[in-house]
Amino acid sequence: MAICEDRVIAHVDLDAFYAQVEMVRLGVDEEAPLCVQQWEGVIAVNYPARKRGVTRFDKAGEVKKKCPECILVHVEVLSEEQEQPKAKVSLARYREASARIFKLILREIERVERASIDEAYLDLTDMVKKRRGIRDNDENLSRASDSIILGEGLDPSRKDDLSLIIGSEITSDLRRMIREELGYTCSAGVAHNKTLAKLASAMNKPNCQTLVPNSCVQGLMEKLPFRKIRQLGGKLGGELEALGVETAAQVQCYNLEELSRRFGQKDAHFVFDIVRGIDRSEVVPRSKPKSMLAAKSLSGEQDWDGVNRWLRMLASELHDRMLFDEEVNVREARNLVISFKSGSVPRTTSKTLPMPRGQSNRLERMLKEMQSLLRNTPSFSFPIDFLGLTATNFEDKPADNESINKFLKPSAPGSHQAPIEKVQASKNENPGIKKWLLGPKAPPDPEKQAEELSQETADFLLAKKLQRDDDIEASRQYSTGKSGRAQLKKPRRGTIDSFLQKAPD
Ligand code: CTP
Ligand code: CA
Ligand code: CA
């Protein structure tokens, strides 16, 4: 039996996120197949297109062959040069949509941990406690009527199951608001911890939520390939695989001593618990980005002219975001990290510089220091395949403008607007490059910019991280070919088997 049954945690993940953003933006019919394309590749496939066999691993040409009526929308390109090597794509549309979604979630739920551009963990424990009223069992059960329930169902006379039911009601309300106010569908998992909630949110996509009662956890672990547990997808999972085990329950056969001998004490405890569905990790409320990254994959820049051009573009982009972040979040980045990949060196190298202090001339000072650092770095050799600049290690500044602080806080329930009157757009030191970065559109208004900045994670880093996800995870995300947006009228019992069968391993 899983512990931590006092807590109720939801994991919410948008369905085919980038594709939905384009559908809403372009007013595309819900049933129309649509993919988001980046150059020849496909980075998001909506559910109608998945139903016709399109996957994220298809090239744009293959998509058209499989599904001639599929709408292909290219991600935004931030340059007059529309060719891949010279142009930089922008994920700003998706960051902005993400910001709006998170603003809504924060309006309704206090403890929210942003896990990526399109997913969040919600700690519903306190809200559940407040909503627990006296109702009869049948009435309580009906509160989970639009959820799929794993295992043998729920017993509303049990405290842990009742908490889950109330958590599912809160999650369902939230999903409905996201749908009605912003137009996006999402899926959710509701469980007693983060790991189980995350597993469940992927089980019945799209537009559905799945509950994980404690009573089903051991049954789930019996059949669950341990690789599906997010934290066991990487190196640790690889080491476990070497033991010749496949399911979480098979890993349960190893006691703590045996696991400690192989993995060390800390990892052993973690593995021991997680394969039993035990996860004590907290939902960490977080809405400010930990770092800001501007990066570009290059096709082998051969000389300083090319590298300097990219350094300037990336530094300008980063600097723009920093200026606004300084105003809105009342803090300053202390470090600047330059990452690069030389053709001759297989790994990415990162070097850290103190961030030049003070805003005056800072962009120029950043550039000068970066260039001098790179010139003195022996491993920096042409051709260069990747450049990334990260502003990190933020320190709070003494607050001098209360209205800006207020601006960041979620608005009160029922009110959709944060106070913005006193927030000024940042002064830009390089209008030419700003124009280039913003493309032909008018600069976004301060509210939009602030929303984006306050919520933004490093989208590029996210894409990189997601790309590194192992094949099992990727095929899981893209193999759930279930379609249709209809909500269930009655509680449904979900078979764990059907989820497990969906994922080719
Ligand atoms: N993404 C990406 N590169 C990847 C994986 C994902 O650019 N290697 C983008 C996708 O375009 C996606 C968003 O990040 O829309 C969120 O990813 P994810 O939740 O994994 O997939 P979804 O497309 O949202 O699909 P699902 O409904 O399965 O969650
Ligand atoms: Ca998603
Ligand atoms: Ca996701």
Side-chain angles (χ1 to χ4, degrees):
M1 150 113 34
I3 58 157
C4 297
E5 59 194 47
D6 277 355
R7 293 191 301 158
V8 180
I9 312 289
H11 178 262
V12 176
D13 183 287
L14 275 289
D15 300 322
F17 181 50
Y18 292 5
Q20 277 205 88
V21 173
E22 297 297 353
M23 289 166 79
V24 169
R25 186 176 73 88
L26 301 168
V28 172
D29 185 274
E30 272 184 5
E31 296 307 320
L34 178 146
C35 292
V36 179
Q37 136 185 39
Q38 182 171 324
W39 314 122
E40 274 317 293
V42 166
I43 59 169
V45 180
N46 76 355
Y47 281 82
R50 292 185 203 192
K51 218 168 146 188
R52 291 164 173 79
V54 177
T55 75
R56 193 169 55 88
F57 305 105
D58 291 331
K59 297 269 174 245
E62 293 167 73
V63 173
K64 278 289 177 194
K65 270 190 214 146
K66 281 185 182 173
C67 177
E69 71 276 25
C70 189
I71 302 164
L72 282 163
V73 184
H74 200 286
V75 291
E76 195 176 3
V77 178
L78 281 181
S79 135
E80 276 146 32
E81 314 224 35
Q82 296 287 318
E83 280 166 34
Q84 181 174 359
K86 292 189 176 162
K88 188 171 184 304
V89 297
S90 162
L91 302 181
R93 283 173 196 160
Y94 318 120
R95 284 208 307 263
E96 282 172 20
S98 173
R100 280 191 286 277
I101 294 163
F102 274 86
K103 187 174 174 187
L104 188 157
I105 296 176
L106 283 163
R107 186 188 80 199
E108 301 300 324
I109 314 280
E110 204 172 318
R111 293 180 68 82
V112 178
E113 176 177 332
R114 183 187 173 95
S116 83
I117 195 164
D118 81 330
E119 62 193 86
Y121 292 99
L122 322 174
D123 188 336
L124 306 176
T125 313
D126 289 345
M127 291 177 81
V128 164
K129 280 184 189 151
K130 281 182 203 148
R131 274 206 203 183
R132 250 197 223 121
I134 301 164
R135 302 196 197 184
D136 69 34
N137 284 350
D138 282 348
E139 208 183 328
N140 272 328
L141 200 54
S142 73
R143 297 161 85 177
S145 63
D146 60 355
S147 300
I148 288 183
I149 299 149
L150 294 187
E152 299 305 311
L154 291 160
D155 174 359
S157 64
R158 278 177 60 149
K159 198 175 157 207
D160 56 343
D161 279 2
L162 180 58
S163 298
L164 217 54
I165 290 171
I166 301 169
S168 83
E169 188 182 50
I170 297 168
T171 309
S172 177
D173 288 348
L174 178 73
R175 290 178 44 242
R176 198 187 52 250
M177 287 179 216
I178 295 174
R179 180 76 199 262
E180 286 175 3
E181 295 180 35
L182 303 172
Y184 304 115
T185 67
C186 56
S187 298
V190 187
H192 294 290
N193 65 47
K194 286 167 79 175
T195 296
L196 294 173
K198 164 92 182 163
L199 273 170
S201 71
M203 286 186 185
N204 293 292
K205 272 181 163 281
N207 197 22
C208 197
Q209 61 185 47
T210 305
L211 312 192
V212 191
N214 275 321
S215 56
C216 83
V217 173
Q218 185 52 27
L220 174 62
M221 294 297 137
E222 294 290 341
K223 292 177 180 164
L224 184 78
F226 67 81
R227 281 283 198 170
K228 280 181 180 287
I229 300 173
R230 191 156 182 79
Q231 303 92 322
L232 298 182
K235 195 167 154 251
L236 197 53
E239 289 170 19
L240 275 173
E241 227 158 42
L243 300 175
V245 286
E246 273 176 38
T247 65
Q250 284 168 343
V251 184
Q252 291 177 4
C253 297
Y254 291 84
N255 65 28
L256 252 179
E257 266 173 33
E258 287 165 319
L259 291 173
S260 296
R261 264 199 306 279
R262 285 171 199 269
F263 305 113
Q265 237 188 4
K266 196 170 155 235
D267 283 348
H269 273 101
F270 169 74
V271 171
F272 186 88
D273 282 349
I274 212 82
V275 297
R276 289 167 174 76
I278 298 170
D279 171 15
R280 296 179 183 84
S281 63
E282 295 280 331
V283 171
V284 183
R286 183 173 58 212
S287 63
K288 292 182 194 177
K290 278 186 186 161
S291 61
M292 287 186 281
L293 172 80
K296 170 78 183 162
S297 287
L298 306 170
S299 46
E301 284 297 336
Q302 296 287 353
D303 52 30
W304 277 108
D305 278 356
V307 164
N308 283 337
R309 177 175 166 267
W310 283 113
L311 277 181
R312 179 168 282 279
M313 282 182 194
L314 295 172
S316 299
E317 181 183 344
L318 185 67
H319 194 248
D320 268 3
R321 295 190 196 170
M322 280 165 52
L323 282 171
F324 209 85
D325 185 74
E326 280 161 20
E327 279 191 47
V328 169
N329 290 329
V330 201
R331 60 182 190 164
E332 274 176 352
R334 288 284 173 253
N335 289 343
L336 172 61
V337 182
I338 314 181
S339 308
F340 62 86
K341 215 171 142 201
S342 299
S344 53
V345 187
R347 309 175 272 111
T348 304
T349 309
S350 293
K351 298 272 167 194
T352 303
L353 281 167
M355 182 66 81
R357 305 292 285 267
Q359 291 180 353
S360 150
N361 254 344
R362 184 171 50 193
L363 179 59
E364 292 310 320
R365 288 183 286 142
M366 281 164 69
L367 279 166
K368 221 170 121 191
E369 292 192 20
M370 288 190 296
Q371 282 157 351
S372 128
L373 179 94
L374 292 178
R375 281 182 196 278
N376 291 310
T377 302
S379 57
F380 187 83
S381 60
F382 297 105
I384 295 296
D385 293 332
F386 171 81
L387 275 176
L389 308 183
T390 308
T392 183
N393 194 12
F394 289 95
E395 263 180 28
D396 289 340
K397 289 198 293 188
D400 54 3
N401 188 339
E402 270 304 304
S403 69
I404 287 168
N405 274 332
K406 258 189 260 156
F407 178 76
L408 258 189
K409 290 192 183 132
S411 40
S415 139
H416 296 198
Q417 298 294 323
I420 56 163
E421 309 79 44
K422 295 197 180 149
V423 179
Q424 297 296 315
S426 305
K427 189 168 158 281
N428 183 21
E429 293 183 1
N430 191 334
I433 286 177
K434 174 132 186 184
K435 192 165 158 256
W436 183 90
L437 287 164
L438 289 171
K441 285 194 301 182
D445 66 44
E447 182 186 22
K448 224 161 110 191
Q449 266 189 315
E451 249 185 6
E452 184 184 342
L453 277 164
S454 68
Q455 297 293 347
E456 184 195 324
T457 50
D459 49 295
F460 184 89
L461 202 64
L462 166 73
K464 292 287 265 190
K465 187 164 90 42
L466 290 170
Q467 270 156 12
R468 279 201 304 270
D469 280 357
D470 59 279
D471 287 348
I472 295 169
E473 177 73 3
S475 54
R476 174 186 66 70
Q477 296 282 1
Y478 291 94
S479 65
T480 50
K482 195 165 161 286
S483 164
R485 288 166 183 256
Q487 287 281 347
L488 293 165
K489 296 279 179 289
K490 292 215 171 98
R492 282 199 278 161
R493 192 179 297 168
T495 63
I496 293 165
D497 283 356
S498 67
F499 166 64
L500 297 172
Q501 278 157 15
K502 275 181 206 157
D505 288 304

